[in-house]
Structure formats: structure tokens, C-alpha cells
């Protein structure tokens, strides 16, 4: 680890619900912290804790060589970078700009090209873990950018993240985050479907929630099956064939029982119907492949 990577001054733009707890973890960063937000009052606790506060992104870039951006959307990120008082007006060549906001991967690539014109490195760096993860320093960060830029930001990012993944070139971090959040919100939708079934069956929803959180903490939840390098069908002699075949059998059995219960209680379960139809193929152990192995 180079001296630069452990002492580079850091700037942070956007101290909202997610940005503030991340930035607080950087208050003791040896290179110092400069903060900026359109609401001057939210910077006051940071100043009291020893950070520098400035009024616009261009001023951040005069003090920082690693700049984190946590604002709302693509338009705000673009303004922070390229606007009249944007980072690129003053950023020195070699500055690394990391965007924690979840934006379009195309926007990330377009902004990286703009940054490159100024000798500035752009990294899309969306996070997963929410404000509690940020507060605890346990975020996962998915990085899209050059190896050199990623190496420079690993040390300061270690203040707020305990998992840092270099997903690939610019845009890859965002694409990983979108895939992760697709799973996240489909799971939420599945949770609402499970709640409807439980409610119709006279089951306590809060008790069910306790069981789900408890068992997912033990088993890893949906991430427990995400251990292969490919989604291709699994060959019968592959290590995962019997394991995921067993998962398929259990899943199809339990989904069928849940669907039968839903039919009796007149509860529509469209996600369960999709799941029972697609589970085997999604796991890579579709029925024809398994049936060939059945005596």
C-alpha cells in the first residue's frame, strides 16, 4: 500500500441519509476530510469533529484527491461533476472521483469519459448495506474503474466498508448493484406474497418475520445458492449437481404445498407460480438432466 493511498485527502459531497453515516466513518482518516452539502447546517457536526466544510464541489476538488459523491440521481451527479461549480473545474490530474449513488451504468461511462479529458479517474462505487451498514463500517462496495484508481481508494473505503469488490471497468460496479437490488426488491415482493398467505392462514406476520430473519441469518438467504461462476446447466458429474438438485426437489415440493394452501384459502400467489415453474432451470438442474440420472 502506497503512502499516497493511506494519506490522500478525501472530499465528501452529499450528507443525506446514506452519505452522512459514510462520511462520519471518514472523520478520522489521516489525510483529512472536506465535506460539502447544499444544506449548510448538516455540515456543522462534521466541522465540529475536525472536518473542513466548503460551499461547492469545485472547492472540494481544491482540497481533496479522492472525492466521494452521494447525491440522489444521475442529474445531480452530473451537475456535481460538470456543472458551473463542479469538480472538473478545479480537480487536479490524478484525482479519483467515486460515485456511491446508484445511477445508470451508461451515465457512469459518459461521466468517466468527461473526467478522462481532465486526467481525472472516475469510479462507480455503489454500496449495499444501508445506513446501518455505513454506521457500523460494514458496507459492501462494488467498484467499476481502473485497477490504479481502485488501489488508491481501498484504504479510505475500508473506513466504512468491510467488503470491497472490484467488479470490472467503469459501469461494472453499477451493473453489479442493479443485479443485487433486483434480487433485493423481488425478494421484498416475495415477502409480501408470503405475508398474504400467512395472514389468510391465521399466522402471526410478526412471528413469521422473526423466523425469516433468524433462518436467513443462519443460511445466508438467497445468496446461499450464489456460489457458481456461471448460470449454465450443470453437468451430472459436477460437484454442484446433486446439491442443487436436492435444493430443486425441496423447493418444488414446498412451493407446490404453498400453492395448494393458497388455492384452498383463495390467495393468489403469482410469484410462487413463477418460482415453481422456473426454479429447476434457474438452478441449472432442469428436470431432463436429472431424469437421465434416475434409474
Amino acid at each position: 500500500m502506497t503512502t499516497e493511498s493511506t494519506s490522500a485527502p478525501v472530499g465528501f459531497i452529499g450528507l443525506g441519509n446514506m452519505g452522512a453515516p459514510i462520511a462520519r466513518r471518514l472523520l478520522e482518516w489521516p489525510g483529512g476530510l472536506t465535506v460539502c452539502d447544499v444544506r449548510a447546517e448538516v455540515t456543522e457536526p462534521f466541522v465540529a469533529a475536525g472536518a473542513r466544510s466548503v460551499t461547492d464541489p469545485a472547492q472540494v476538488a481544491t482540497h481533496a484527491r479522492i472525492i466521494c459523491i452521494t447525491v440522489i440521481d444521475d442529474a445531480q451527479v452530473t451537475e456535481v461533476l460538470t456543472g458551473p461549480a463542479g469538480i472538473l473545474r478545479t480537480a487536479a490530474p490524478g484525482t479519483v472521483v467515486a460515485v456511491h449513488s446508484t445511477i445508470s451504468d451508461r451515465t457512469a461511462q459518459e461521466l468517466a469519459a468527461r473526467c478522462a479529458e481532465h486526467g481525472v479517474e472516475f469510479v462507480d462505487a455503489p454500496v449495499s448495506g444501508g445506513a446501518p451498514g455505513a454506521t457500523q463500517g460494514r458496507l459492501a462496495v462494488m467498484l467499476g474503474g481502473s485497477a490504479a484508481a481502485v488501489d488508491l481508494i481501498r484504504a479510505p473505503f475500508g473506513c466504512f466498508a468491510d467488503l470491497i469488490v472490484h467488479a470490472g471497468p467503469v459501469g461494472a460496479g453499477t451493473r453489479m448493484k442493479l443485479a443485487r437490488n433486483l434480487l433485493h426488491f423481488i425478494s421484498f415482493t416475495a415477502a409480501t406474497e408470503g405475508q398474504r398467505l400467512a395472514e389468510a392462514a391465521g399466522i402471526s406476520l410478526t412471528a413469521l418475520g422473526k423466523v425469516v430473519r433468524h433462518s436467513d441469518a443462519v443460511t445466508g438467504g438467497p445468496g446461499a445458492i450464489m456460489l457458481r461462476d456461471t448460470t449454465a446447466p450443470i453437468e451430472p458429474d459436477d460437484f454442484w449437481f446433486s446439491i442443487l438438485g436436492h435444493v430443486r426437489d425441496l423447493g418444488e415440493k414446498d412451493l407446490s404445498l404453498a400453492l395448494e394452501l393458497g388455492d384452498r384459502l383463495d390467495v393468489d400467489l403469482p410469484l410462487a407460480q413463477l418460482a415453481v415453474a422456473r426454479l429447476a432451470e434457474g438452478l441449472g438442474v432442469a428436470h431432463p438432466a436429472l431424469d437421465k440420472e434416475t434409474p
Side-chain angles (χ1 to χ4, degrees):
M1 188 176 295
T2 66
T3 301
E4 182 183 16
S5 67
T6 56
S7 63
V10 173
F12 207 100
I13 300 169
L15 301 172
N17 292 336
M18 196 67 198
I22 296 176
R24 279 195 290 269
R25 300 286 306 189
L26 290 164
L27 280 167
E28 296 184 8
W29 174 246
L33 177 67
T34 299
V35 296
C36 176
D37 194 281
V38 294
R39 301 158 300 160
E41 67 274 11
V42 304
T43 68
E44 293 172 2
F46 290 89
V47 173
R52 175 191 291 110
S53 175
V54 296
T55 58
D56 61 50
Q59 292 182 60
V60 173
T62 65
H63 296 287
R65 291 297 169 263
I66 298 171
I67 303 174
C68 299
I69 300 174
T70 308
V71 293
I72 294 175
D73 55 22
D74 296 50
Q76 288 192 2
V77 172
T78 301
E79 179 70 14
V80 164
L81 265 170
T82 67
I87 290 168
L88 294 182
R89 287 197 61 192
T90 58
T95 297
V96 178
V97 175
V99 175
H100 299 307
S101 312
T102 301
I103 59 175
S104 164
D105 59 326
R106 291 183 176 180
T107 299
Q109 292 171 323
E110 291 166 2
L111 291 175
R114 296 285 298 275
C115 286
E117 295 171 0
H118 297 262
V120 171
E121 291 260 22
F122 180 98
V123 177
D124 51 311
V127 298
S128 185
T135 300
Q136 298 166 27
R138 298 192 58 197
L139 288 177
V141 187
M142 297 148 276
L143 304 177
S146 72
V150 169
D151 286 345
L152 187 63
I153 62 181
R154 277 189 184 278
F157 280 24
C159 295
F160 56 81
D162 61 358
L163 177 62
I164 299 172
V165 176
H166 186 188
V170 172
T174 297
R175 290 189 284 271
M176 181 177 283
K177 173 65 182 290
L178 294 177
R180 193 270 172 271
N181 275 13
L182 178 141
L183 171 62
H184 187 65
F185 290 111
I186 287 178
S187 296
F188 277 13
T189 309
T192 67
E193 187 163 293
Q195 287 176 303
R196 290 201 308 274
L197 178 64
E199 187 172 49
I203 301 299
S204 165
L205 300 188
T206 55
L208 174 62
K210 289 179 182 178
V211 171
V212 171
R213 291 189 294 275
H214 180 276
S215 56
D216 278 2
V218 174
T219 67
I225 67 160
M226 302 176 73
L227 299 170
R228 300 174 62 225
D229 294 330
T230 175
T231 60
I234 303 174
E235 295 296 326
D237 60 353
D238 189 289
F239 169 79
W240 292 107
F241 186 84
S242 61
I243 295 173
L244 292 180
H246 180 62
V247 171
R248 182 208 75 163
D249 291 343
L250 287 177
E252 290 184 341
K253 173 181 69 70
D254 290 356
L255 285 166
S256 296
L257 289 170
L259 284 166
E260 189 272 331
L261 176 60
D263 286 342
R264 282 191 281 122
L265 298 174
D266 197 26
V267 178
D268 186 29
L269 302 172
L271 287 179
Q273 291 170 352
L274 281 172
V276 76
R278 299 182 181 181
L279 179 63
E281 184 177 359
L283 290 171
V285 285
H287 284 274
L290 286 178
D291 291 346
K292 291 177 183 177
E293 298 302 303
T294 303

